[in-house]
Amino acid sequence: MDKFDALILNMLQQNARTTAEAMSHHVGLSPDACRKRMARLRSSGIIKAEIAVLDPASVGRGLILIVEVTLQNERKADLDRFKAAMLAAPEVMQCYYVTGNADFILILSAHDMADFEAFTRRHFFAEDNVLRFRTSAVMDRVKTGLAVPVVTD
């Protein structure tokens, strides 16, 4: 990866719909060279996905919650079952298997607290291996995103 790739990646993280023509002016390469580099970054797996970022409130999911989940057992089968359930749950926006006081950190969206309660009944109370969970409701989304700063030496 060189400085041109880093510039391209940083631009695409801000707007994945940036055209090669617009990018070429910022990066200092021809549009064709930018297109080739973007194709290589995609095929190599450095670019994992190009997504639309929605405003949760605009689609009726304005309640954002951060949930710490502690499992009773961390056997491979138990971990895999919980991970699969979180992958399949559309409410879960992000799920991290972590070290520290909890086993998982979830970022999820809900319509309201009743919707979140239904989620907890399905995924936490109905799952014998969930020892406890602790929830924080987001009051203000100060900064959200998935951008990773890309720099080269």
Side-chain angles (χ1 to χ4, degrees):
M1 181 176 316
D2 60 17
K3 70 175 187 172
F4 297 113
D5 288 341
L7 288 168
I8 288 169
L9 289 170
N10 285 321
M11 287 186 75
L12 288 174
Q13 287 186 97
Q14 296 305 310
N15 182 357
R17 294 181 65 174
T18 302
T19 64
E21 289 74 19
M23 192 173 291
S24 70
H25 298 296
H26 180 73
V27 174
L29 295 173
S30 71
D32 192 48
C34 289
R35 270 190 287 281
K36 287 178 182 175
R37 284 175 178 264
M38 287 188 291
R40 182 178 44 77
L41 292 166
R42 288 179 181 113
S43 67
S44 70
I46 291 173
I47 297 174
K48 300 297 267 179
E50 296 175 58
I51 61 170
V53 179
L54 307 181
D55 172 30
S58 295
V59 294
R61 311 248 350 138
L63 180 59
I64 306 299
L65 303 130
I66 301 169
V67 185
E68 298 176 22
V69 180
T70 303
L71 300 181
Q72 186 142 348
N73 297 302
E74 288 187 74
R75 293 179 299 245
K76 182 179 179 340
D78 296 321
L79 290 172
D80 290 347
R81 187 174 63 251
F82 187 80
K83 287 177 183 180
M86 295 304 99
L87 280 168
E91 303 90 343
V92 177
M93 299 163 57
Q94 297 176 47
C95 176
Y96 300 97
Y97 178 42
V98 298
T99 62
N101 294 329
D103 296 314
F104 289 89
I105 302 290
L106 310 176
I107 312 294
L108 58 93
S109 67
H111 176 69
D112 54 23
M113 284 306 266
D115 186 34
F116 176 59
E117 181 185 8
F119 175 88
T120 64
R121 288 178 184 275
R122 283 190 315 275
H123 294 285
F124 301 155
F125 293 118
E127 172 58 58
D128 291 339
N129 197 38
V130 172
L131 180 63
R132 68 179 162 274
F133 65 95
R134 190 172 84 177
T135 305
S136 298
V138 173
M139 294 180 6
D140 184 12
R141 295 178 341 142
V142 177
K143 180 178 181 179
T144 61
L146 297 173
V148 177
V150 181
V151 295
T152 60
D153 297 330

